[in-house]
């Protein structure tokens, strides 16, 4: 579903809603954060968290992609998320929607197992910021979430 979102920088185009729905259904508290800078458009981001105590595990990613260019030049439609010969094709499949989707699915699976008490005690805190635009500086620390800018992938 993430690849199908036309989240061309700086528009999130529903990508954050896809993640927010998955994560909130699995016990995460989700919050939208708006980052502003005088030289760029405002950018909406998603911060999802479960648990309230330390230590933390934090995964930061982005859901924006560069423009696809002339879509007629693509062998497959760039936002169709088509699977061919076991590979998924589309904007963001490798940078970075695929990674964001894998983490969200793995975190949701792990949390459900912890809640079911099948594996280990519930995590103390798992945080999941997702930036709709990776080039906005990733400044989550000013929002009070304890991340240094250098910890957010560019």
């Amino acid at each position: 579903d993430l690849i199908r979102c036309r989240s061309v920088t700086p528009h999130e185009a529903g990508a954050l809603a896809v993640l927010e729905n998955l994560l909130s259904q699995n016990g995460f508290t989700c919050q939208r954060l708006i980052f502003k800078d005088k030289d760029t458009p405002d950018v909406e981001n998603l911060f999802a968290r479960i648990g309230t105590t330390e230590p933390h595990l934090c995964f930061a990613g982005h859901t924006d992609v560069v423009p696809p260019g002339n879509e007629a030049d693509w062998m497959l439609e760039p936002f169709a998320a088509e699977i061919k010969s076991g590979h998924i094709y589309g904007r963001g499949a490798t940078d970075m929607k695929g990674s964001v989707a894998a983490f969200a699915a793995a975190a949701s699976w792990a949390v459900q197992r912890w809640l079911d008490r099948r594996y280990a005690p519930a995590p103390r805190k798992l945080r999941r910021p997702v930036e709709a635009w990776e080039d906005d500086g990733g400044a989550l620390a000013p929002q009070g979430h304890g991340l240094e800018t250098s910890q957010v992938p560019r």
Side-chain angles (χ1 to χ4, degrees):
D1 289 342
L2 283 178
I3 292 172
R4 290 185 181 103
C5 297
R6 290 182 161 271
S7 54
V8 175
T9 307
H11 306 289
E12 67 93 11
L16 298 182
V18 169
L19 292 166
E20 186 173 8
N21 289 338
L22 170 69
L23 294 169
S24 64
Q25 288 174 14
N26 285 285
F28 285 78
T29 299
C30 297
Q31 177 183 6
R32 298 285 183 108
L33 304 171
I34 307 294
F35 294 129
K36 299 177 182 218
D37 184 79
K38 62 182 176 129
D39 298 325
T40 63
D42 291 353
V43 177
E44 190 170 16
N45 295 270
L46 175 67
F47 188 81
R49 163 176 100 183
I50 193 165
T52 58
T53 61
E54 295 183 0
H56 322 150
L57 170 63
C58 179
F59 178 85
H62 65 90
T63 57
D64 68 320
V65 297
V66 297
N70 184 355
E71 294 189 25
D73 292 339
W74 283 68
M75 291 174 27
L76 301 170
E77 199 276 314
F79 295 99
E82 291 188 49
I83 298 173
K84 300 281 184 184
S85 302
H87 299 278
I88 191 164
Y89 291 88
R91 275 333 246 158
T94 59
D95 180 21
M96 151 165 222
K97 290 179 179 181
S99 298
V100 167
F103 180 83
S108 296
W109 179 89
V111 166
Q112 289 306 308
R113 296 307 146 323
W114 286 320
L115 293 175
D116 291 344
R117 303 281 188 213
R118 291 186 205 163
Y119 291 89
R124 293 185 187 161
K125 185 183 275 187
L126 181 62
R127 303 187 312 175
R128 168 94 189 70
V130 179
E131 296 187 64
W133 185 15
E134 69 175 318
D135 296 324
D136 69 350
L140 292 172
Q143 301 289 328
H145 298 292
L147 294 175
E148 298 292 329
T149 302
S150 62
Q151 292 174 289
V152 179
R154 301 274 186 252

